[in-house]
């Protein structure tokens, strides 16, 4: 399955969007709006009706439309239930930002296995969990909490470390280096560096592929 919808979706739902500055759910929503994303943004939070001038939905099903990309920022224990909702409405591309999976021990590993199982059974591709998100400057997509959108360019960048990717974004913005696509892969529960190398390699707008891997 193509990874195109991670970097060029017509609509994005942010499950766990927040109105509280400093929270990851706030940063991602704010970054998407600040980037000038032209598609539809659906904040999902069952405590409020509106967020940053956008209608806020209590869950994915109540949106009544199919988001092409879903970004999940809720606590780890709730992620499998959100994945079930994704499966129910036919979502095929999901970024799980949330930490607290196999990197924290056996309980987290079991949760991650649940997420993978739901994904595989329903043809869903997942980037993460425990990641910074995905960015595509040309498409004005900043589904991450990594800072401002860099300028468009020809570099595809893959990083296992969220902190390193954030540092690269800071440097890129200071030095005027352009990027085509950036992905933080975290735990690599599903999509890994090989998947992204193939996707970036097949994309004529990507001329250089760089990455940081930890194993």
């Amino acid at each position: 399955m193509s990874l195109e919808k991670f970097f060029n979706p017509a609509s994005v739902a942010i499950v766990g969007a927040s109105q509280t500055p400093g929270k990851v759910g706030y940063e991602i929503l704010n970054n998407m709006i600040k980037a000038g994303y032209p598609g539809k943004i659906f904040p999902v939070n069952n405590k409020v009706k509106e967020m940053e001038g956008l209608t806020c939905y209590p869950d994915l099903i109540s949106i009544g439309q199919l988001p092409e990309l879903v970004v999940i920022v809720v606590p780890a224990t709730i992620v499998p239930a959100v994945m079930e909702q994704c499966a129910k409405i036919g979502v095929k591309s999901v970024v799980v930002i949330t930490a607290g999976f196999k990197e924290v021990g056996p309980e987290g590993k079991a949760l991650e296995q649940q997420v993978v199982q739901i994904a595989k059974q329903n043809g869903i591709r997942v980037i993460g969990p425990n990641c910074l998100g995905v960015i595509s400057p040309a498409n004005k997509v900043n589904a991450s909490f990594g800072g401002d959108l860099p300028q468009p360019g020809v570099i595809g960048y893959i990083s296992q470390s969220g902190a390193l990717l954030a540092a690269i974004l800071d440097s890129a913005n200071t030095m005027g280096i352009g990027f085509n696509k950036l992905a933080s892969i975290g735990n690599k529960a599903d999509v890994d560096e090989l998947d992204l190398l193939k996707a970036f390699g097949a994309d004529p707008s990507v001329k250089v592929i760089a990455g940081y891997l930890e194993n």
Side-chain angles (χ1 to χ4, degrees):
M1 187 190 123
S2 165
L3 302 183
E4 177 65 17
K5 299 302 182 196
F6 283 104
F7 303 100
N8 191 17
S11 52
V12 178
I14 302 162
V15 183
S18 171
Q19 289 180 304
T20 310
K23 282 198 163 186
V24 175
Y26 172 86
E27 299 301 331
I28 293 171
L29 176 62
N30 198 40
N31 280 347
M32 283 295 291
I33 294 167
K34 243 186 355 185
Y37 174 66
K40 291 182 176 175
I41 302 173
F42 305 113
V44 177
N45 183 315
N46 61 9
K47 294 185 174 69
V48 290
K49 295 274 194 279
E50 190 181 288
M51 207 173 278
E52 302 296 318
L54 299 166
T55 302
C56 196
Y57 299 87
D59 53 37
L60 285 170
I61 293 160
S62 60
I63 293 171
Q65 298 176 51
L66 178 63
E68 288 195 342
L69 175 65
V70 171
V71 182
I72 301 178
V73 207
V74 296
T77 50
I78 304 169
V79 173
V82 177
M83 286 295 296
E84 293 283 11
Q85 283 185 32
C86 290
K88 190 169 184 177
I89 65 173
V91 172
K92 297 299 177 193
S93 303
V94 175
V95 178
V96 182
I97 304 287
T98 309
F101 290 91
K102 71 183 173 197
E103 79 280 4
V104 298
E107 282 183 20
K109 188 178 179 181
L111 272 176
E112 192 166 312
Q113 284 168 343
Q114 277 184 58
V115 169
V116 172
Q117 187 177 9
I118 296 162
K120 285 197 180 338
Q121 285 171 348
N122 296 281
I124 302 169
R125 296 309 309 263
V126 178
I127 289 179
N130 183 30
C131 74
L132 195 78
V134 294
I135 299 168
S136 176
N139 298 315
K140 296 182 167 38
V141 171
N142 190 359
S144 81
F145 60 103
D148 291 338
L149 194 70
Q151 66 188 45
V154 296
I155 304 167
Y157 196 89
I158 303 159
S159 182
Q160 204 164 339
S161 160
L164 188 82
L165 188 62
I168 282 168
L169 286 170
D170 282 346
S171 301
N173 288 329
T174 305
M175 297 163 71
I177 298 168
F179 285 89
N180 189 281
K181 296 174 177 67
L182 303 100
S184 161
I185 52 178
N187 290 8
K188 304 190 292 187
D190 173 34
V191 173
D192 61 13
E193 60 274 24
L194 188 58
D195 293 313
L196 286 160
L197 277 168
K198 285 178 181 172
F200 290 177
D203 184 342
S205 63
V206 176
K207 305 297 182 194
V208 177
I209 303 171
Y212 170 80
L213 305 174
E214 290 178 346
N215 60 7

